[in-house]
mmCIF file of all heavy atoms in Angstrom:
data_model
loop_
_atom_site.group_PDB
_atom_site.id
_atom_site.type_symbol
_atom_site.label_atom_id
_atom_site.label_comp_id
_atom_site.label_asym_id
_atom_site.label_seq_id
_atom_site.Cartn_x
_atom_site.Cartn_y
_atom_site.Cartn_z
ATOM 1 N N GLU A 74 -7.192 3.219 -1.987
ATOM 2 C CA GLU A 74 -6.662 4.381 -2.718
ATOM 3 C C GLU A 74 -7.354 5.643 -2.244
ATOM 4 O O GLU A 74 -8.547 5.649 -1.919
ATOM 5 C CB GLU A 74 -6.869 4.192 -4.221
ATOM 6 C CG GLU A 74 -8.318 3.982 -4.644
ATOM 7 C CD GLU A 74 -8.456 3.742 -6.128
ATOM 8 O OE1 GLU A 74 -7.742 4.417 -6.906
ATOM 9 O OE2 GLU A 74 -9.297 2.915 -6.527
ATOM 10 N N GLY A 75 -6.585 6.718 -2.154
ATOM 11 C CA GLY A 75 -7.145 8.015 -1.787
ATOM 12 C C GLY A 75 -7.843 8.018 -0.442
ATOM 13 O O GLY A 75 -8.811 8.754 -0.261
ATOM 14 N N ALA A 76 -7.334 7.254 0.510
ATOM 15 C CA ALA A 76 -8.015 7.079 1.789
ATOM 16 C C ALA A 76 -7.090 7.385 2.960
ATOM 17 O O ALA A 76 -5.889 7.237 2.889
ATOM 18 C CB ALA A 76 -8.529 5.651 1.919
ATOM 19 N N SER A 77 -7.732 7.806 4.079
ATOM 20 C CA SER A 77 -7.027 8.062 5.308
ATOM 21 C C SER A 77 -7.548 7.107 6.381
ATOM 22 O O SER A 77 -8.755 7.083 6.643
ATOM 23 C CB SER A 77 -7.228 9.514 5.758
ATOM 24 O OG SER A 77 -6.605 9.766 7.001
ATOM 25 N N ILE A 78 -6.647 6.337 6.973
ATOM 26 C CA ILE A 78 -7.024 5.315 7.950
ATOM 27 C C ILE A 78 -6.430 5.685 9.295
ATOM 28 O O ILE A 78 -5.220 5.822 9.442
ATOM 29 C CB ILE A 78 -6.511 3.932 7.491
ATOM 30 C CG1 ILE A 78 -7.142 3.573 6.137
ATOM 31 C CG2 ILE A 78 -6.803 2.858 8.529
ATOM 32 C CD1 ILE A 78 -6.515 2.348 5.491
ATOM 33 N N GLY A 79 -7.293 5.860 10.297
ATOM 34 C CA GLY A 79 -6.860 6.341 11.602
ATOM 35 C C GLY A 79 -6.186 5.281 12.452
ATOM 36 O O GLY A 79 -6.123 4.092 12.117
ATOM 37 N N ALA A 80 -5.717 5.727 13.609
ATOM 38 C CA ALA A 80 -5.001 4.843 14.523
ATOM 39 C C ALA A 80 -5.910 3.723 15.025
ATOM 40 O O ALA A 80 -7.057 3.956 15.379
ATOM 41 C CB ALA A 80 -4.456 5.656 15.716
ATOM 42 N N GLY A 81 -5.371 2.510 15.038
ATOM 43 C CA GLY A 81 -6.098 1.374 15.584
ATOM 44 C C GLY A 81 -7.240 0.865 14.738
ATOM 45 O O GLY A 81 -8.031 0.041 15.195
ATOM 46 N N CYS A 82 -7.370 1.345 13.514
ATOM 47 C CA CYS A 82 -8.447 0.882 12.643
ATOM 48 C C CYS A 82 -8.173 -0.538 12.143
ATOM 49 O O CYS A 82 -7.024 -1.012 12.143
ATOM 50 C CB CYS A 82 -8.605 1.808 11.431
ATOM 51 S SG CYS A 82 -9.331 3.400 11.819
ATOM 52 N N GLU A 83 -9.231 -1.185 11.670
ATOM 53 C CA GLU A 83 -9.114 -2.502 11.047
ATOM 54 C C GLU A 83 -9.836 -2.461 9.701
ATOM 55 O O GLU A 83 -10.984 -2.047 9.622
ATOM 56 C CB GLU A 83 -9.703 -3.574 11.939
ATOM 57 C CG GLU A 83 -9.506 -4.987 11.404
ATOM 58 C CD GLU A 83 -9.972 -6.055 12.363
ATOM 59 O OE1 GLU A 83 -10.027 -5.780 13.584
ATOM 60 O OE2 GLU A 83 -10.267 -7.172 11.903
ATOM 61 N N VAL A 84 -9.137 -2.894 8.665
ATOM 62 C CA VAL A 84 -9.683 -2.871 7.303
ATOM 63 C C VAL A 84 -9.574 -4.260 6.690
ATOM 64 O O VAL A 84 -8.507 -4.873 6.710
ATOM 65 C CB VAL A 84 -8.931 -1.855 6.436
ATOM 66 C CG1 VAL A 84 -9.433 -1.893 4.993
ATOM 67 C CG2 VAL A 84 -9.048 -0.449 6.989
ATOM 68 N N GLY A 85 -10.688 -4.758 6.158
ATOM 69 C CA GLY A 85 -10.677 -6.038 5.455
ATOM 70 C C GLY A 85 -10.919 -7.224 6.351
ATOM 71 O O GLY A 85 -11.301 -7.075 7.516
ATOM 72 N N PRO A 86 -10.720 -8.432 5.784
ATOM 73 C CA PRO A 86 -10.160 -8.720 4.452
ATOM 74 C C PRO A 86 -11.127 -8.391 3.344
ATOM 75 O O PRO A 86 -12.320 -8.191 3.581
ATOM 76 C CB PRO A 86 -9.887 -10.216 4.529
ATOM 77 C CG PRO A 86 -10.924 -10.749 5.489
ATOM 78 C CD PRO A 86 -11.072 -9.665 6.531
ATOM 79 N N TYR A 87 -10.614 -8.316 2.118
ATOM 80 C CA TYR A 87 -11.414 -8.070 0.928
ATOM 81 C C TYR A 87 -12.224 -6.781 1.024
ATOM 82 O O TYR A 87 -13.373 -6.715 0.592
ATOM 83 C CB TYR A 87 -12.360 -9.241 0.662
ATOM 84 C CG TYR A 87 -11.669 -10.537 0.290
ATOM 85 C CD1 TYR A 87 -11.418 -11.509 1.254
ATOM 86 C CD2 TYR A 87 -11.280 -10.783 -1.012
ATOM 87 C CE1 TYR A 87 -10.804 -12.691 0.930
ATOM 88 C CE2 TYR A 87 -10.641 -11.977 -1.357
ATOM 89 C CZ TYR A 87 -10.420 -12.919 -0.394
ATOM 90 O OH TYR A 87 -9.777 -14.110 -0.714
ATOM 91 N N ALA A 88 -11.624 -5.729 1.571
ATOM 92 C CA ALA A 88 -12.277 -4.420 1.631
ATOM 93 C C ALA A 88 -11.761 -3.537 0.522
ATOM 94 O O ALA A 88 -10.650 -3.703 0.027
ATOM 95 C CB ALA A 88 -12.024 -3.751 2.979
ATOM 96 N N ARG A 89 -12.603 -2.577 0.120
ATOM 97 C CA ARG A 89 -12.162 -1.599 -0.868
ATOM 98 C C ARG A 89 -12.446 -0.197 -0.344
ATOM 99 O O ARG A 89 -13.606 0.133 -0.067
ATOM 100 C CB ARG A 89 -12.855 -1.781 -2.197
ATOM 101 C CG ARG A 89 -12.303 -0.839 -3.280
ATOM 102 C CD ARG A 89 -12.960 -1.001 -4.628
ATOM 103 N NE ARG A 89 -12.354 -0.108 -5.587
ATOM 104 C CZ ARG A 89 -12.899 0.246 -6.755
ATOM 105 N NH1 ARG A 89 -14.083 -0.248 -7.076
ATOM 106 N NH2 ARG A 89 -12.283 1.076 -7.571
ATOM 107 N N LEU A 90 -11.388 0.587 -0.201
ATOM 108 C CA LEU A 90 -11.525 1.995 0.187
ATOM 109 C C LEU A 90 -11.163 2.847 -1.023
ATOM 110 O O LEU A 90 -10.038 2.779 -1.524
ATOM 111 C CB LEU A 90 -10.596 2.330 1.356
ATOM 112 C CG LEU A 90 -10.779 1.519 2.646
ATOM 113 C CD1 LEU A 90 -9.870 2.066 3.746
ATOM 114 C CD2 LEU A 90 -12.231 1.525 3.106
ATOM 115 N N ARG A 91 -12.138 3.635 -1.477
ATOM 116 C CA ARG A 91 -11.950 4.479 -2.651
ATOM 117 C C ARG A 91 -11.660 5.913 -2.227
ATOM 118 O O ARG A 91 -11.741 6.266 -1.051
ATOM 119 C CB ARG A 91 -13.194 4.386 -3.538
ATOM 120 C CG ARG A 91 -13.408 3.006 -4.156
ATOM 121 C CD ARG A 91 -14.754 2.889 -4.800
ATOM 122 N NE ARG A 91 -14.974 3.928 -5.807
ATOM 123 C CZ ARG A 91 -16.171 4.193 -6.339
ATOM 124 N NH1 ARG A 91 -17.244 3.509 -5.959
ATOM 125 N NH2 ARG A 91 -16.288 5.149 -7.239
ATOM 126 N N PRO A 92 -11.293 6.774 -3.187
ATOM 127 C CA PRO A 92 -10.918 8.158 -2.837
ATOM 128 C C PRO A 92 -11.985 8.865 -2.009
ATOM 129 O O PRO A 92 -13.198 8.755 -2.249
ATOM 130 C CB PRO A 92 -10.765 8.817 -4.220
ATOM 131 C CG PRO A 92 -10.291 7.716 -5.094
ATOM 132 C CD PRO A 92 -11.046 6.501 -4.632
ATOM 133 N N GLY A 93 -11.512 9.569 -0.982
ATOM 134 C CA GLY A 93 -12.368 10.292 -0.073
ATOM 135 C C GLY A 93 -12.818 9.507 1.132
ATOM 136 O O GLY A 93 -13.550 10.021 1.980
ATOM 137 N N ALA A 94 -12.386 8.251 1.236
ATOM 138 C CA ALA A 94 -12.737 7.454 2.424
ATOM 139 C C ALA A 94 -11.847 7.900 3.587
ATOM 140 O O ALA A 94 -10.626 7.975 3.472
ATOM 141 C CB ALA A 94 -12.518 5.977 2.153
ATOM 142 N N VAL A 95 -12.499 8.190 4.722
ATOM 143 C CA VAL A 95 -11.776 8.605 5.918
ATOM 144 C C VAL A 95 -12.276 7.749 7.085
ATOM 145 O O VAL A 95 -13.477 7.760 7.401
ATOM 146 C CB VAL A 95 -12.005 10.098 6.253
ATOM 147 C CG1 VAL A 95 -11.304 10.475 7.556
ATOM 148 C CG2 VAL A 95 -11.510 10.974 5.107
ATOM 149 N N LEU A 96 -11.370 7.014 7.708
ATOM 150 C CA LEU A 96 -11.713 6.175 8.860
ATOM 151 C C LEU A 96 -11.103 6.808 10.095
ATOM 152 O O LEU A 96 -9.874 6.928 10.210
ATOM 153 C CB LEU A 96 -11.173 4.757 8.687
ATOM 154 C CG LEU A 96 -12.030 3.768 7.873
ATOM 155 C CD1 LEU A 96 -12.339 4.297 6.489
ATOM 156 C CD2 LEU A 96 -11.324 2.425 7.801
ATOM 157 N N ASP A 97 -11.961 7.228 11.021
ATOM 158 C CA ASP A 97 -11.477 7.787 12.282
ATOM 159 C C ASP A 97 -10.924 6.665 13.152
ATOM 160 O O ASP A 97 -11.126 5.478 12.884
ATOM 161 C CB ASP A 97 -12.595 8.533 12.983
ATOM 162 C CG ASP A 97 -12.077 9.610 13.932
ATOM 163 O OD1 ASP A 97 -10.875 9.602 14.249
ATOM 164 O OD2 ASP A 97 -12.886 10.449 14.371
ATOM 165 N N ASP A 98 -10.247 7.039 14.231
ATOM 166 C CA ASP A 98 -9.561 6.056 15.065
ATOM 167 C C ASP A 98 -10.489 4.925 15.513
ATOM 168 O O ASP A 98 -11.623 5.141 15.888
ATOM 169 C CB ASP A 98 -9.001 6.742 16.306
ATOM 170 C CG ASP A 98 -7.929 7.761 15.975
ATOM 171 O OD1 ASP A 98 -7.461 7.818 14.821
ATOM 172 O OD2 ASP A 98 -7.518 8.524 16.896
ATOM 173 N N LYS A 99 -9.943 3.712 15.449
ATOM 174 C CA LYS A 99 -10.585 2.490 15.941
ATOM 175 C C LYS A 99 -11.899 2.152 15.215
ATOM 176 O O LYS A 99 -12.711 1.382 15.727
ATOM 177 C CB LYS A 99 -10.823 2.575 17.452
ATOM 178 C CG LYS A 99 -9.525 2.650 18.242
ATOM 179 C CD LYS A 99 -9.775 2.630 19.740
ATOM 180 C CE LYS A 99 -8.449 2.668 20.506
ATOM 181 N NZ LYS A 99 -8.661 2.643 21.971
ATOM 182 N N SER A 100 -12.117 2.708 14.049
ATOM 183 C CA SER A 100 -13.262 2.285 13.252
ATOM 184 C C SER A 100 -12.891 1.021 12.485
ATOM 185 O O SER A 100 -11.723 0.635 12.380
ATOM 186 C CB SER A 100 -13.731 3.391 12.326
ATOM 187 O OG SER A 100 -12.690 3.785 11.452
#
Side-chain angles (χ1 to χ4, degrees):
E74 57 182 321
S77 177
I78 299 171
C82 288
E83 185 174 337
V84 176
Y87 294 96
R89 186 180 182 197
L90 302 185
R91 294 170 55 193
V95 177
L96 275 56
D97 205 345
D98 295 350
K99 296 184 179 180
S100 59

